[in-house]
């Protein structure tokens, strides 16, 4: 079993930055693929950024140029650095993990690829 513990959410003004961290317990195979998703009020959950253990990344168009995802494999941790935050980034952010799907050619924002989920952490951006 894999457990994901998120930290780093909070409130910030537009233009500010936040850093979300997620530490995973469990075997490395089950956490070869990790990422961040978010659910804004009244909207479906969407992929923000995902990363393979080897470092390949996916960044949603809405986050490109502002968000960076990285991994600390020695600590089985994934970090989402969010800069130049906008009010539309307000959401609950979820950490996700799972094995890399067979036949996958690279990270995506597809939540169906992930088996394990954190509890979520609130990010609020005020204008």
């Amino acid at each position: 079993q894999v457990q994901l513990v998120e930290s780093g959410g909070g409130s910030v003004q537009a233009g500010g930055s936040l850093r979300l961290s997620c530490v995973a317990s469990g075997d490395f195979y089950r956490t070869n693929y990790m990422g961040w998703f978010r659910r804004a009020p009244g909207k479906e959950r969407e992929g923000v950024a995902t990363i393979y253990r080897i470092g390949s990344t996916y960044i949603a168009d809405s986050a490109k140029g502002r968000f960076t995802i990285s991994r600390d494999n020695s600590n089985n941790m994934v970090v989402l650095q969010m800069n130049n935050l906008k009010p539309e980034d307000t959401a609950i952010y979820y950490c996700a993990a799972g094995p890399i799907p067979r036949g996958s050619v690279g990270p995506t924002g597809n939540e169906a690829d992930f088996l394990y989920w954190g509890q979520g952490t609130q990010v609020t951006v005020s204008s």
Side-chain angles (χ1 to χ4, degrees):
Q1 187 68 318
V2 172
Q3 290 189 324
L4 303 174
V5 179
E6 301 135 331
S7 61
S11 297
V12 66
Q13 289 192 325
S17 298
L18 284 174
R19 182 174 182 267
L20 304 183
S21 298
C22 173
V23 178
S25 65
D27 63 81
F28 277 16
Y29 169 75
R30 296 174 192 269
T31 57
N32 275 337
Y33 193 13
M34 295 185 72
W36 291 93
F37 290 74
R38 69 186 181 188
R39 177 179 281 129
K43 294 188 176 182
E44 298 285 322
R45 188 160 59 185
E46 64 176 356
V48 178
T50 60
I51 185 168
Y52 283 173
R53 185 177 299 280
I54 61 171
S56 306
T57 62
Y58 161 86
I59 306 288
D61 287 344
S62 60
K64 283 180 180 175
R66 302 186 299 124
F67 295 5
T68 303
I69 188 168
S70 61
R71 290 188 68 140
D72 177 356
N73 288 328
S74 62
N75 292 303
N76 218 15
M77 181 169 70
V78 63
V79 173
L80 184 68
Q81 177 65 44
M82 304 186 293
N83 299 325
N84 191 21
L85 282 159
K86 303 176 180 181
E88 52 263 42
D89 295 317
T90 295
I92 299 174
Y93 283 70
Y94 298 90
C95 179
I100 296 174
R102 288 187 179 182
S104 178
V105 296
T108 71
N110 183 6
E111 67 175 86
D113 290 342
F114 293 86
L115 298 179
Y116 308 104
W117 293 87
Q119 294 294 312
T121 185
Q122 178 70 46
V123 170
T124 303
V125 185
S126 58
S127 57

